[in-house]
Amino acid sequence: MQKKFNLVLVGCGNMAHTWVEYAKTRDDTDIVAVVDIQPSTATALLERHGLTCPAFTNLSQALNATNANLVFDVTIPEAHEEVVLTALKFGCDVFGEKPLAASLAAAQGMVKTAIKTGRTFAIMQNRRYNNQIRAYQDLIKVIGEVGFLSANFFIAPHFGGFREAMQSPLLLDMAIHTFDAARFLSGADAVSVYCHEFNPKGSWYAGHANAICIFEMSDGSVFSYNGSWAAEGAFTAWEAEWRVLGSRGTAIWNGKDAPFAEIVKTPEQQSFIRDFTKIEAVVPNLPEGHHACLEEMFAAVLNNQAPQTICTDNIKSLGMVFAALESSRLGQKVML
């Protein structure tokens, strides 16, 4: 018998609309309730999407009043722990926005509860579901053993609001995308980090808008991250600019165009500079972004499998963020 998803959406702000739009495309999914601490926000979402389900200000009330078996957590990071633990203890699977939690201790408790309850708890990492990064991951396999990865991220968003008041806006709010991409591309996990945060001249942020991180990875490679959210002019892509060095060559992706690699044409060649062969990546035409990530989450639950952004894996990317923050605070290398 086909599984039916009875969905409760928690958090009805701007980000929720993408999640609702996807859920409405599924014949096997009914949105049975929405939850938001602001009734007017919930009402606005219901009206925008033509939904007739009830709205609640408390998740426990919504779960008690419905036969929900799935929760979308699209709340602010500080609310993730309470939402996820409540949903898991009610026997629901949970698909949630990044970051997994607002602290590593909270994340560890949430992961432990997901394992204990046997429910799926997966995190939105939509930038894994980019056709160019998929092609780049395949291309990296032809350059030999990876020894070094570098990512440059330089953009100058004038958000206003809470981000400009945060102590570490770049690391806490954005860097996890690039850190997760490094794990995705290399297939390795971070084992240590040295991080230096600072706020450059001209910055409109109260906290550290720049960060330089050096991660040692589990396969012996090194990942270098250079980032700024106060870099006026000559922006990189939001996906960053990448260079990966392998034992046979180098793979390049500017985050915007198709990746390419140059590999040694003849390893036996004896010359000061050897000849190289350029390889263009074959970019697939697959679903991308939030919808693609949600599609895999649903498919994983239906097939009793773990999605690639399952909490037990995603916590490793989150751990990179908190280890970098700790290294910056201490001024020394930190082990993960």
Side-chain angles (χ1 to χ4, degrees):
M1 182 177 178
Q2 179 77 16
K3 181 179 176 66
K4 189 72 175 179
F5 294 100
N6 296 312
L7 168 64
V8 173
L9 171 81
V10 189
C12 298
N14 291 333
M15 182 62 70
H17 298 298
T18 299
W19 292 66
V20 172
E21 287 165 2
Y22 172 79
K24 289 176 65 178
T25 68
R26 298 190 64 93
D27 294 335
D28 60 358
T29 302
D30 289 333
I31 302 175
V32 297
V34 299
V35 179
D36 198 283
I37 59 174
Q38 296 293 337
S40 60
T41 304
T43 299
L45 181 135
L46 292 173
E47 292 176 350
R48 173 171 171 175
H49 295 281
L51 300 175
T52 58
C53 63
F56 299 84
T57 57
N58 177 277
L59 177 57
S60 293
Q61 292 175 350
L63 295 177
N64 278 317
T66 64
N67 57 346
N69 56 12
L70 175 64
V71 168
F72 279 1
D73 176 18
V74 200
T75 59
I76 61 173
E78 289 74 16
H80 288 345
E81 182 180 19
E82 180 180 358
V83 170
V84 171
L85 292 180
T86 298
L88 292 173
K89 290 173 182 177
F90 268 85
C92 296
D93 296 313
V94 184
F95 303 159
E97 261 296 346
K98 65 87 184 172
L100 192 159
S103 73
L104 189 58
Q108 290 167 339
M110 294 155 71
V111 171
K112 183 178 179 179
T113 300
I115 294 171
K116 183 178 179 180
T117 59
R119 308 316 306 172
T120 297
F121 172 33
I123 317 303
M124 176 58 68
Q125 290 290 167
N126 52 295
R127 283 183 168 81
R128 282 194 177 207
Y129 298 84
N130 171 291
N131 284 327
Q132 290 183 3
I133 201 171
R134 289 163 168 155
Y136 194 42
Q137 185 190 50
D138 288 338
L139 191 65
I140 287 170
K141 297 173 184 175
V142 308
I143 64 172
E145 291 185 274
V146 171
F148 178 68
L149 307 91
S150 69
N152 292 320
F153 177 88
F154 297 105
I155 296 181
H158 292 257
F159 291 109
F162 72 92
R163 289 181 180 87
E164 293 186 8
M166 292 171 65
Q167 183 176 350
S168 299
L170 179 69
L171 285 181
L172 277 174
D173 197 56
M174 185 64 203
I176 190 169
H177 285 299
T178 314
F179 294 175
D180 185 73
R183 293 184 55 240
F184 176 72
L185 292 170
S186 68
D189 298 325
V191 296
S192 74
V193 60
Y194 178 81
C195 172
H196 176 63
E197 284 184 289
F198 60 101
N199 206 26
K201 293 180 180 180
S203 171
W204 49 98
Y205 292 85
H208 299 306
N210 283 32
I212 301 168
C213 304
I214 302 171
F215 290 94
E216 294 174 310
M217 307 299 284
S218 57
D219 63 355
S221 64
V222 171
F223 165 50
S224 171
Y225 171 82
N226 297 291
S228 175
W229 251 0
E232 294 285 23
F235 294 167
T236 65
W238 283 90
E239 283 71 22
E241 291 179 346
W242 291 84
R243 176 180 289 262
V244 179
L245 309 185
S247 56
R248 296 184 58 220
T250 294
I252 300 290
W253 181 41
N254 66 6
K256 304 173 184 177
D257 304 309
F260 70 91
E262 290 189 349
I263 62 171
V264 174
K265 183 179 293 186
T266 307
E268 297 79 18
Q269 181 182 4
Q270 300 295 316
S271 62
F272 182 61
I273 299 293
R274 293 191 284 188
D275 297 326
F276 297 91
T277 299
K278 186 175 182 178
I279 301 174
E280 301 283 354
V282 177
V283 179
N285 184 24
L286 299 171
E288 296 183 289
H290 281 73
H291 281 208
C293 187
L294 284 165
E295 186 75 13
E296 195 205 358
M297 291 178 184
F298 274 93
V301 172
L302 288 170
N303 295 311
N304 197 29
Q305 297 173 344
Q308 66 170 292
T309 60
I310 192 75
C311 62
T312 49
D313 180 82
N314 189 256
I315 195 172
K316 298 175 184 177
S317 297
L318 185 67
M320 294 171 73
V321 173
F322 287 111
L325 290 167
E326 182 70 359
S327 173
S328 175
R329 185 183 70 83
L330 297 175
Q332 64 186 44
K333 184 166 78 171
V334 168
M335 305 303 293
L336 276 78

